[in-house]
Short mmCIF file of all heavy atoms in Angstrom, two decimals:
data_model
loop_
_atom_site.label_atom_id
_atom_site.label_comp_id
_atom_site.label_asym_id
_atom_site.label_seq_id
_atom_site.Cartn_x
_atom_site.Cartn_y
_atom_site.Cartn_z
N ILE G 1 31.43 13.83 50.32
CA ILE G 1 32.34 14.40 51.34
C ILE G 1 33.51 13.38 51.68
O ILE G 1 34.67 13.71 51.58
CB ILE G 1 31.68 14.91 52.55
CG1 ILE G 1 30.71 16.04 52.21
CG2 ILE G 1 32.66 15.23 53.62
CD1 ILE G 1 29.97 16.65 53.42
N THR G 2 33.06 12.21 52.08
CA THR G 2 34.05 11.19 52.57
C THR G 2 34.57 10.40 51.34
O THR G 2 33.77 9.66 50.71
CB THR G 2 33.43 10.27 53.58
OG1 THR G 2 32.90 11.02 54.66
CG2 THR G 2 34.44 9.26 54.11
N LEU G 3 35.80 10.56 51.00
CA LEU G 3 36.39 9.96 49.82
C LEU G 3 37.73 9.21 50.13
O LEU G 3 38.29 9.44 51.22
CB LEU G 3 36.63 11.02 48.72
CG LEU G 3 35.32 11.73 48.29
CD1 LEU G 3 35.78 12.99 47.42
CD2 LEU G 3 34.45 10.83 47.44
N PRO G 4 38.16 8.36 49.24
CA PRO G 4 39.41 7.59 49.51
C PRO G 4 40.66 8.32 49.86
O PRO G 4 41.40 7.89 50.71
CB PRO G 4 39.56 6.79 48.17
CG PRO G 4 38.20 6.68 47.62
CD PRO G 4 37.57 8.02 47.96
N THR G 5 40.89 9.45 49.16
CA THR G 5 42.07 10.17 49.48
C THR G 5 41.73 11.51 50.21
O THR G 5 41.49 11.44 51.39
CB THR G 5 42.90 10.52 48.17
OG1 THR G 5 41.95 11.25 47.26
CG2 THR G 5 43.37 9.31 47.48
N PHE G 6 41.69 12.62 49.54
CA PHE G 6 41.19 13.83 50.17
C PHE G 6 39.74 13.95 50.15
O PHE G 6 39.07 13.22 49.39
CB PHE G 6 41.81 15.07 49.38
CG PHE G 6 43.28 15.04 49.37
CD1 PHE G 6 44.02 14.67 48.25
CD2 PHE G 6 44.03 15.50 50.53
CE1 PHE G 6 45.37 14.70 48.24
CE2 PHE G 6 45.41 15.52 50.49
CZ PHE G 6 46.12 15.09 49.40
N ASP G 7 39.12 14.73 51.12
CA ASP G 7 37.74 14.77 51.17
C ASP G 7 37.13 15.74 50.09
O ASP G 7 37.87 16.36 49.32
CB ASP G 7 37.22 15.15 52.53
CG ASP G 7 37.61 16.46 52.94
OD1 ASP G 7 37.91 17.30 52.08
OD2 ASP G 7 37.68 16.76 54.26
N GLY G 8 35.76 15.74 50.01
CA GLY G 8 35.14 16.56 49.04
C GLY G 8 35.33 18.00 49.17
O GLY G 8 35.37 18.80 48.16
N PHE G 9 35.56 18.51 50.42
CA PHE G 9 35.83 19.87 50.67
C PHE G 9 37.17 20.25 50.03
O PHE G 9 37.29 21.35 49.36
CB PHE G 9 35.90 20.17 52.14
CG PHE G 9 34.64 19.92 52.85
CD1 PHE G 9 34.59 19.04 53.98
CD2 PHE G 9 33.45 20.53 52.49
CE1 PHE G 9 33.41 18.77 54.67
CE2 PHE G 9 32.22 20.25 53.21
CZ PHE G 9 32.23 19.38 54.20
N TYR G 10 38.12 19.43 50.15
CA TYR G 10 39.46 19.73 49.56
C TYR G 10 39.37 19.77 47.97
O TYR G 10 39.88 20.76 47.46
CB TYR G 10 40.50 18.60 49.99
CG TYR G 10 41.78 18.66 49.20
CD1 TYR G 10 42.78 19.53 49.62
CD2 TYR G 10 41.97 17.85 48.07
CE1 TYR G 10 44.01 19.62 48.95
CE2 TYR G 10 43.17 17.95 47.34
CZ TYR G 10 44.17 18.83 47.78
OH TYR G 10 45.42 18.92 47.07
N TRP G 11 38.71 18.74 47.44
CA TRP G 11 38.65 18.73 45.94
C TRP G 11 37.90 19.86 45.44
O TRP G 11 38.20 20.40 44.38
CB TRP G 11 38.04 17.36 45.47
CG TRP G 11 39.00 16.17 45.64
CD1 TRP G 11 38.78 15.05 46.33
CD2 TRP G 11 40.30 16.06 45.02
NE1 TRP G 11 39.87 14.24 46.27
CE2 TRP G 11 40.80 14.86 45.47
CE3 TRP G 11 41.14 16.91 44.23
CZ2 TRP G 11 42.06 14.41 45.14
CZ3 TRP G 11 42.34 16.41 43.86
CH2 TRP G 11 42.82 15.28 44.28
N THR G 12 36.85 20.33 46.16
CA THR G 12 36.03 21.46 45.69
C THR G 12 36.84 22.73 45.81
O THR G 12 36.81 23.60 44.86
CB THR G 12 34.74 21.62 46.48
OG1 THR G 12 33.98 20.42 46.37
CG2 THR G 12 33.86 22.75 46.04
N SER G 13 37.60 22.90 46.83
CA SER G 13 38.42 24.11 46.98
C SER G 13 39.50 24.16 45.85
O SER G 13 39.85 25.18 45.32
CB SER G 13 39.11 24.17 48.37
OG SER G 13 39.98 23.07 48.59
N GLN G 14 40.02 22.94 45.52
CA GLN G 14 41.03 22.86 44.43
C GLN G 14 40.40 23.19 43.09
O GLN G 14 40.94 23.89 42.25
CB GLN G 14 41.71 21.43 44.43
CG GLN G 14 42.59 21.18 45.61
CD GLN G 14 43.72 22.03 45.70
OE1 GLN G 14 44.61 22.22 44.81
NE2 GLN G 14 43.83 22.79 46.81
N LEU G 15 39.15 22.65 42.90
CA LEU G 15 38.46 22.84 41.66
C LEU G 15 38.12 24.30 41.42
O LEU G 15 38.20 24.77 40.32
CB LEU G 15 37.21 21.97 41.70
CG LEU G 15 36.27 22.06 40.47
CD1 LEU G 15 37.01 21.56 39.24
CD2 LEU G 15 35.03 21.24 40.68
N ARG G 16 37.74 25.02 42.52
CA ARG G 16 37.36 26.35 42.44
C ARG G 16 38.48 27.33 42.01
O ARG G 16 38.27 28.50 41.57
CB ARG G 16 36.83 26.85 43.80
CG ARG G 16 35.31 26.45 44.00
CD ARG G 16 34.42 27.22 42.94
NE ARG G 16 33.07 26.58 43.01
CZ ARG G 16 32.62 25.86 42.04
NH1 ARG G 16 33.47 25.45 41.05
NH2 ARG G 16 31.37 25.40 42.02
N GLN G 17 39.71 26.81 42.17
CA GLN G 17 40.90 27.65 41.76
C GLN G 17 41.05 27.63 40.22
O GLN G 17 41.64 28.54 39.62
CB GLN G 17 42.19 27.08 42.33
CG GLN G 17 42.22 27.15 43.81
CD GLN G 17 43.52 26.60 44.40
OE1 GLN G 17 44.54 26.59 43.75
NE2 GLN G 17 43.45 26.15 45.67
N VAL G 18 40.41 26.64 39.54
CA VAL G 18 40.53 26.57 38.07
C VAL G 18 39.24 26.49 37.28
O VAL G 18 39.19 26.52 36.08
CB VAL G 18 41.36 25.37 37.70
CG1 VAL G 18 42.82 25.45 38.24
CG2 VAL G 18 40.71 24.08 38.26
N SER G 19 38.07 26.43 38.01
CA SER G 19 36.82 26.24 37.32
C SER G 19 35.65 26.71 38.15
O SER G 19 35.74 26.73 39.40
CB SER G 19 36.55 24.75 36.98
OG SER G 19 35.28 24.58 36.46
N ASP G 20 34.56 27.23 37.44
CA ASP G 20 33.32 27.67 38.19
C ASP G 20 32.25 26.75 37.91
O ASP G 20 31.05 27.04 38.15
CB ASP G 20 33.01 29.07 37.75
CG ASP G 20 32.59 29.16 36.25
OD1 ASP G 20 32.90 28.16 35.54
OD2 ASP G 20 32.02 30.24 35.84
N VAL G 21 32.56 25.50 37.51
CA VAL G 21 31.47 24.49 37.28
C VAL G 21 30.69 24.23 38.50
O VAL G 21 31.18 24.17 39.64
CB VAL G 21 32.14 23.15 36.78
CG1 VAL G 21 33.05 22.61 37.81
CG2 VAL G 21 31.04 22.13 36.45
N PRO G 22 29.33 24.17 38.39
CA PRO G 22 28.51 23.96 39.56
C PRO G 22 28.81 22.63 40.27
O PRO G 22 29.11 21.66 39.62
CB PRO G 22 27.05 23.95 38.96
CG PRO G 22 27.18 24.75 37.68
CD PRO G 22 28.55 24.41 37.13
N VAL G 23 28.69 22.68 41.52
CA VAL G 23 28.95 21.49 42.40
C VAL G 23 27.78 21.26 43.36
O VAL G 23 27.34 22.18 44.04
CB VAL G 23 30.26 21.62 43.18
CG1 VAL G 23 30.46 20.42 44.08
CG2 VAL G 23 31.47 21.79 42.34
N ILE G 24 27.29 20.08 43.38
CA ILE G 24 26.26 19.63 44.32
C ILE G 24 26.89 18.59 45.23
O ILE G 24 27.31 17.56 44.81
CB ILE G 24 25.04 19.07 43.62
CG1 ILE G 24 24.30 20.09 42.81
CG2 ILE G 24 24.02 18.47 44.68
CD1 ILE G 24 23.03 19.56 42.14
N PHE G 25 26.91 18.86 46.59
CA PHE G 25 27.42 17.93 47.53
C PHE G 25 26.31 16.83 47.88
O PHE G 25 25.20 17.18 48.06
CB PHE G 25 27.81 18.66 48.76
CG PHE G 25 29.29 19.05 48.85
CD1 PHE G 25 29.78 20.15 48.15
CD2 PHE G 25 30.27 18.29 49.54
CE1 PHE G 25 31.08 20.50 48.16
CE2 PHE G 25 31.54 18.61 49.61
CZ PHE G 25 31.97 19.76 48.92
N VAL G 26 26.79 15.58 48.11
CA VAL G 26 25.96 14.55 48.60
C VAL G 26 26.69 13.98 49.66
O VAL G 26 27.84 13.54 49.57
CB VAL G 26 25.53 13.50 47.50
CG1 VAL G 26 24.61 14.10 46.50
CG2 VAL G 26 26.75 12.88 46.91
N SER G 27 26.02 13.78 50.87
CA SER G 27 26.77 13.14 52.01
C SER G 27 25.82 12.59 53.00
O SER G 27 24.63 13.08 53.10
CB SER G 27 27.61 14.24 52.67
OG SER G 27 28.25 13.67 53.83
N ALA G 28 26.23 11.59 53.70
CA ALA G 28 25.44 10.95 54.85
C ALA G 28 25.56 11.80 56.12
O ALA G 28 24.88 11.62 57.06
CB ALA G 28 25.92 9.62 55.05
#
């Protein structure tokens, strides 16, 4: 979730626009 630029929520939402690849979140 916490990443250097945008967070994991942002990247997953962007990814979902172009791919249905499975995503597993890991976070503290």
